[in-house]
Amino acid sequence: MRKFLLNVFIVFIYFISCTPEKPALSFDTLSILNVQVIDIIGPTIGSNRPLFSPRDIAVNRVKEIFIADYGNDRIVKLDSTFTFKTELGGFGISDYSLNGPLSIAVDNVSNLYLIDSGNARVLRFDRRLNFISDERGFIKGQQYNFTRPSAIDVTDRGDIYIGDEGLGACFKFDPFFVYIYEFGCRGTPQEIGYPSDIECGEDGRIYVADSEYGRIMVYDDFGMFLHTIGEQVLERPSAVAVSQRTGIWVTDTGTGLLHCFNFIGKEAFRWGGQETYYLEKPAGLFIDDDDNIYVVDSSTNQILIIKPVLRK
């Protein structure tokens, strides 16, 4: 009986050792094989003007698309089939006029938040582009005004993150624009040179694209610095977007590439450059709930919609 059990045990061990182990999907490994272009928006979009130097894009929960069309001083709204619906803007300083729309974000109820860079303010609209508010500063003991705001994002809780190169910091506000804290301040060891984009990740971390120092700065939800991503790889990162399934994606106007990093900061994939005509000056970036990646190219005046192809 003992001999029989020993033989069974040996056969079991042999079977286990000879059975190939299925590799786990880990961000320690390179999981992105390629990307597939599934659609292109622009330059013509069905309005009386084509896109001109677009800078950013946001997509709400019902797949409506909002484009910050910087060169035309307007916001363009498309439906889920990429059909033009309406626009807002034109050069000016009124509630419905813009001067260099640079960065946009949407919240859980599809309100739109917009950095109107030339007017140094943050505008808020509903999904039908009806005006809600005009924020030009905040109180932190005394009144501070935005000077050169450049980036914005909103968490699922409604907290608002804004980068202002003129004030030399990034800021967190509650949903009523009440100041909470600042981080990445100029003159500190972890200063942010130019915050070109902010991404509030599902993991609770805050990712800031620093185009001056060529890196992504990562902070926790309390504004504590954690680590950098992309140093020695990135040159002038313009936007960052995070998917818990495919990694940390970065557009870089310096390299002319779309980069993907895993969550330990290792570059997993890059796309663009001389091997493809698709990217010339990659700018804004957005990842929707289906992991479709929207890449704004401010030179070709197009938005590329791509899908990552994962290694099996």
Side-chain angles (χ1 to χ4, degrees), residues 19-250:
T19 302
E21 184 179 353
K22 205 170 185 179
L25 181 60
S26 166
F27 289 114
D28 276 339
T29 61
L30 306 183
S31 58
I32 306 297
L33 179 63
N34 206 343
V35 295
Q36 177 184 3
V37 179
I38 59 177
D39 224 317
I40 299 177
I41 300 172
T44 58
I45 53 172
S47 69
N48 60 353
R49 291 176 292 172
L51 297 174
F52 178 42
S53 192
R55 297 298 176 86
D56 202 8
I57 188 168
V59 183
N60 65 19
R61 295 296 173 88
V62 294
K63 299 299 177 69
E64 293 171 328
I65 299 168
F66 299 89
I67 302 169
D69 191 13
Y70 183 89
N72 285 316
D73 295 310
R74 65 175 177 170
I75 295 298
V76 173
K77 178 182 176 180
L78 310 178
D79 68 15
S80 59
T81 65
F82 315 140
T83 301
F84 175 81
K85 300 301 292 182
T86 188
E87 62 182 58
L88 175 153
F91 179 78
I93 60 173
S94 71
D95 292 343
Y96 289 95
S97 299
L98 301 173
N99 181 7
L102 196 57
S103 179
I104 54 177
V106 291
D107 64 17
N108 270 342
V109 293
S110 296
N111 290 324
L112 182 71
Y113 297 73
L114 166 67
I115 296 290
D116 185 14
S117 62
N119 290 321
R121 61 180 178 173
V122 178
L123 295 172
R124 183 161 41 178
F125 302 91
D126 67 18
R127 57 175 285 207
R128 294 177 177 82
L129 297 184
N130 296 309
F131 174 80
I132 297 176
S133 68
D134 175 346
E135 308 293 340
R136 296 175 181 265
F138 56 94
I139 296 175
K140 189 188 73 169
Q142 64 184 59
Q143 178 69 34
Y144 289 84
N145 292 325
F146 297 123
T147 58
R148 291 193 294 277
S150 54
I152 191 167
D153 201 15
V154 185
T155 69
D156 289 340
R157 299 188 304 269
D159 293 327
I160 303 159
Y161 287 82
I162 295 173
D164 190 310
E165 189 267 341
L167 293 177
C170 293
F171 302 88
K172 179 180 180 179
F173 303 93
D174 74 10
F176 304 99
F177 273 92
V178 175
Y179 169 88
I180 300 176
Y181 63 72
E182 60 196 67
F183 59 99
C185 302
R186 186 177 295 127
T188 64
Q190 291 82 36
E191 72 173 9
I192 298 170
Y194 182 83
S196 54
D197 193 30
I198 296 179
E199 168 80 353
C200 302
E202 294 177 9
D203 56 2
R205 296 182 175 185
I206 309 302
Y207 301 80
V208 182
D210 184 349
S211 62
E212 181 174 340
Y213 294 130
R215 59 192 180 182
I216 304 300
M217 304 286 281
V218 185
Y219 299 84
D220 67 16
D221 194 35
F222 299 99
M224 298 298 294
F225 173 75
L226 299 175
H227 59 88
T228 63
I229 293 173
E231 289 186 292
Q232 312 304 320
V233 175
L234 302 173
E235 293 181 13
R236 294 194 302 276
S238 52
V240 57
V242 179
S243 165
Q244 292 301 305
R245 290 166 293 279
T246 62
I248 302 161
W249 296 81
V250 181

